[in-house]
Amino acid sequence: MESCQPIALNRYLRTVLSQQEILVRYLQQQIQMYGQEMYVVPAELIVKADVRQEIPQSVEADVMPILSKASTWQSTTSLEALQQEIHTCMECPLGFTRNSFVFGSGNPHADIMVIGEAPGADEDEQGLPFVGRAGQLLTKILEAIELRRDEVYICNILKCRPPNNRKPLAMETDQCEPYLWKQIELVKPKLILALGLTAANTLLKNKESMTNLRGKIHDYQGIRTLVTYHPAALLRNPEWKKLAWEDVKFLRTLYDAS
Ligand code: URA
């Protein structure tokens, strides 16, 4: 899948998007890469190009509101505003298969941010992170260190469910991670708890094993970050719960001292 992504994705997009939507996405990318200034080829030079004949007359009216929206999420100043701006995201194919955009939940000014991998079926259904079996275990883990879910902020690397809960693809993570960066910027947590290797390796930009990552304080852009097992992994391997318990006790110690 990884090796044939670019061409497969292009073909896929052509089957599900109209010419006009492809144009909008192209212009959005240009804005993200080069900013608001665009260099337009004089009309007389492109009047014979095939694509021009397919652009509808109404294109400007349809395109401009979307283009101005594309550049506004980066400058939002609250989580609600950010969610409002990005919840209709179609930047990767998961936008076509999701039921819900799972933004995040909890205290918008939490000292602790808990970051998982991606929504599963229950989260996709309800639009909230960690509400399925793994989520119920996460709630118990937090309660064990005397934290309620609404005291921390919970979200994921990806905001949309990968089909069949497969691991996120690199291009999905690349598209979605800037939303997480913005969430972190807005919440300003003192501590981050990364749940599972996907979250940890994505945040810390490494390929270290869980054994190497646990029990250490990592630095994520100046924020102290701990890594522990994903609750779904704990459901499959209950013998790791003891280790996870040590990790969250360490988190509590750091929290109390902060
Ligand atoms: N697994 C995750 O990583 N996140 C969720 O929200 C649910 C399950």
Side-chain angles (χ1 to χ4, degrees):
M1 183 69 195
E2 293 261 16
S3 60
C4 60
Q5 251 181 57
I7 189 75
L9 187 61
N10 276 347
R11 286 207 192 117
Y12 171 72
L13 285 177
R14 286 208 189 99
T15 63
V16 293
L17 294 178
S18 68
Q19 188 75 38
Q20 188 175 348
E21 285 167 321
I22 289 172
L23 174 67
V24 171
R25 293 168 64 90
Y26 172 74
L27 292 173
Q28 285 174 333
Q29 280 175 0
Q30 294 293 306
I31 287 179
Q32 274 171 10
M33 287 191 292
Y34 305 118
Q36 291 286 351
E37 268 180 335
M38 295 188 71
Y39 295 90
V40 178
V41 180
E44 60 274 20
L45 294 182
I46 57 168
V47 76
K48 287 191 183 133
D50 285 344
V51 68
R52 189 174 167 81
Q53 285 146 25
E54 292 176 39
I55 299 173
Q57 294 288 309
S58 63
V59 77
E60 188 169 341
D62 290 342
V63 166
M64 286 322 287
I66 301 171
L67 289 185
S68 47
K69 196 176 170 86
S71 57
T72 53
W73 69 263
Q74 288 96 336
S75 55
T76 50
T77 54
S78 72
L79 287 174
E80 299 84 60
L82 176 64
Q83 180 170 12
Q84 190 56 34
E85 288 293 333
I86 65 175
H87 78 284
T88 52
C89 177
M90 296 298 275
E91 292 294 324
C92 87
L94 299 183
F96 296 97
T97 51
R98 68 163 179 246
N99 287 308
S100 310
F101 183 93
V102 182
F103 179 75
S105 71
N107 178 356
H109 306 294
D111 285 338
I112 298 178
M113 195 149 168
V114 179
I115 303 177
E117 178 175 314
D122 295 299
E123 291 76 20
D124 181 52
E125 186 101 345
Q126 297 182 43
L128 291 168
F130 282 100
V131 288
R133 272 188 75 217
Q136 284 156 23
L137 179 55
L138 174 63
T139 306
K140 284 192 193 149
I141 291 170
L142 291 172
E143 281 169 0
I145 52 166
E146 291 174 26
L147 285 172
R148 295 187 319 274
R149 277 178 72 112
D150 61 8
E151 285 178 271
V152 301
Y153 190 79
I154 304 175
C155 62
N156 286 300
I157 301 281
L158 291 193
K159 308 301 184 221
C160 300
R161 182 192 181 204
N164 303 317
N165 299 343
R166 64 157 168 70
K167 292 272 169 218
L169 300 176
M171 64 82 65
E172 292 160 356
T173 304
D174 290 348
Q175 281 293 342
C176 215
E177 212 187 348
Y179 297 153
L180 176 65
W181 297 336
K182 185 70 194 180
Q183 284 174 300
I184 294 172
E185 181 193 313
L186 291 169
V187 175
K188 298 188 186 62
K190 292 184 179 144
L191 293 161
I192 289 176
L193 179 64
L195 298 177
L197 260 191
T198 302
N201 293 155
T202 303
L203 284 173
L204 301 173
K205 303 285 171 240
N206 65 28
K207 292 189 173 153
E208 296 285 340
S209 66
M210 181 55 74
T211 309
N212 281 348
L213 292 170
R214 285 187 52 251
K216 294 177 188 152
I217 303 177
H218 304 272
D219 180 286
Y220 176 79
Q221 312 214 341
I223 303 166
R224 287 172 302 163
T225 299
L226 300 187
V227 176
T228 193
Y229 293 99
H230 193 288
L234 297 178
L235 290 172
R236 291 191 299 270
N237 305 280
E239 69 276 14
W240 292 346
K241 282 186 184 170
K242 200 168 153 283
L243 300 172
W245 172 232
E246 286 169 14
D247 297 335
V248 292
K249 272 196 299 185
F250 186 29
L251 176 75
R252 180 74 217 199
T253 307
L254 295 177
Y255 176 60
D256 288 338
S258 66

